[in-house]
Amino acid sequence: MKRFFQIVALGAAVIFCCGCGYGSVGVGEKHDGADGKEKVSVWRYTDTAMGTVIQQSLYTAGEDAAKEISTEIIDYLTGLERDLLSWRLETSETYRLNASAGSGEGYLLSEDMTALLQSCMELQEQSGGAFDVTLGTVTRLWNIDQWAAGRMEDFQMPSSRDLANALDACGSHKLALETEDFPQSGLAERTLAFLPEGMQLDLGAVGKGHALSGIQILLEQTPEITGAVISVGGSVLTYGSKPDGGSWKVGIVNPFDTAAYIGILTLQGQWCVSTSGDYERYVEMDGARYHHILDPATGYPADSGVRGVTILSKDGMLSDGLSTACFILGPEKGMELAERYGAEALFVLKDGSIVMTEEMGRYFNGACSQ
Ligand code: AMP
Ligand code: MG
């Protein structure tokens, strides 16, 4: 197993753009080069979508292109939530899929949802069940999305009996995906999902990472944009290059002091970086912290000695899914899982030490603080 342990005095991991300082909408400035040609400038936008903060740094010569693509990206994210991912909005495929639970009739999946669920089920298997998007009944019992909305006063500790009942409805092995030939539709095949009675999907662990792939396609279709760093909650996409050929810097937040970084990742070109941490969404009661990453074995917040995990991968769904899975698995099993997927992992442990895969060490510089 290729890995090394590094002891650092500070603690550990959400990710933002180190040194990027996002300001208000459209704070970029246009500069003309000495030859009269427009120089590429950075244009920064901050918005909300998918229930989180979206920060965009777009490198292009003209503000028009930057404004246009930034609006397209926000529209895309809003549509993704509305049409695919939300379990609350009746318009979304996840909502309708959940509503079909127990009907015995298969729900016809879109191609996007088929690919996403297949990847989730593979990750569930590879992680030994630590990662499980069928935990919807349990995440709702904890009321996690209310904490994110700041309504923490409503927090009630679920009873162990309610948790046991909710867990009964979970388990990816009970979710059947059946792919069959379907020439009538003009498609070669179609996939149906069969959810047993009571099962509810929650794609919160992969949605933001999955969105990075769609954003990347939008950027690729816009040649005026030569480089970009886009953060969707705890997942960051780097794309293209800086005008001066410099590297992208992605900061990893210190879980022990979330106003500071434990270090930065120095990256060239396209990457996806996702972080899962116990400081992102949590409530505190009677001196105990209850966070949003749940152990499917117990239904309680995972306690694997980890405070934050950062994953580096070329694929956004994987970086996001693996960060959640690795948080639950802890450093030993987590690094094995990440390496099986060809991804790099960095863990900040409860004792303040930092553990990472060997390759991650090539990108990580622990000297940075805000
Ligand atoms: P993340 O912040 O990417 O680690 O995702 C955490 C979110 O994923 C939570 O807010 C839940 O909606 C969901 N979740 C919690 N525990 C799990 C789990 N064990 N497997 C899959 N999704 C989970
Ligand atoms: Mg995740």
Side-chain angles (χ1 to χ4, degrees), residues 116-369:
L116 189 57
L117 282 187
Q118 282 169 343
S119 302
C120 287
M121 290 184 60
E122 191 189 319
L123 186 51
Q124 189 267 346
E125 204 182 311
Q126 290 290 331
S127 67
F131 177 87
D132 193 343
V133 290
T134 71
L135 276 183
T137 47
V138 182
T139 60
R140 262 158 251 186
L141 195 58
W142 283 98
N143 232 345
I144 287 170
D145 62 336
Q146 297 297 308
W147 314 347
R151 287 190 282 279
M152 302 197 186
E153 66 279 7
D154 296 338
F155 176 68
Q156 278 196 326
M157 184 74 184
S159 72
S160 50
R161 171 187 281 214
D162 286 348
L163 269 178
N165 286 339
L167 274 173
D168 275 350
C170 307
S172 287
H173 59 286
K174 298 184 208 156
L175 166 63
L177 297 187
E178 289 182 11
T179 301
E180 56 187 31
D181 292 339
F182 194 57
Q184 303 92 303
S185 68
L187 301 169
E189 55 184 29
R190 65 179 190 177
T191 302
L192 300 167
F194 295 84
L195 269 68
E197 182 77 43
M199 179 180 279
Q200 299 288 286
L201 302 185
D202 177 339
L203 296 171
V206 285
K208 296 175 181 75
H210 176 68
L212 299 185
S213 309
I215 294 174
Q216 190 182 331
I217 291 169
L218 290 175
L219 291 170
E220 282 164 356
Q221 291 167 348
T222 314
E224 297 93 323
I225 305 296
T226 53
V229 180
I230 304 206
S231 89
V232 181
S235 287
V236 177
L237 171 74
T238 64
Y239 169 85
S241 57
K242 277 188 176 174
D244 61 1
S247 305
W248 303 122
K249 310 281 185 202
V250 178
I252 301 179
V253 168
N254 181 350
F256 296 91
D257 172 9
T258 55
Y261 298 115
I262 55 152
I264 55 167
L265 297 178
T266 301
L267 305 170
Q268 287 278 347
Q270 186 271 336
W271 284 101
C272 296
V273 186
S274 297
T275 297
S276 292
D278 68 359
Y279 53 90
E280 292 178 315
R281 290 183 182 185
Y282 64 92
V283 287
E284 278 174 334
M285 201 173 80
D286 301 331
R289 174 180 290 217
Y290 300 92
H291 62 78
H292 69 310
I293 304 168
L294 305 176
D295 184 347
T298 63
Y300 285 91
D303 186 10
S304 57
V306 174
R307 294 225 49 205
V309 182
T310 296
I311 300 287
L312 178 64
S313 164
K314 290 286 177 183
D315 182 272
M317 178 272 160
L318 269 185
S319 64
D320 198 357
L322 281 172
S323 70
T324 309
C326 288
F327 187 100
I328 296 153
L329 287 173
E332 291 288 326
K333 288 183 179 166
M335 280 198 281
E336 275 172 32
L337 177 68
E339 286 184 338
R340 237 178 291 142
Y341 273 99
E344 303 311 322
L346 181 149
F347 293 76
V348 183
L349 307 182
K350 282 186 173 170
D351 66 3
S353 59
I354 299 177
V355 184
M356 68 191 96
T357 54
E358 189 176 324
E359 189 69 13
M360 184 67 113
R362 297 184 203 275
Y363 303 102
F364 180 73
N365 179 334
C368 175
S369 74

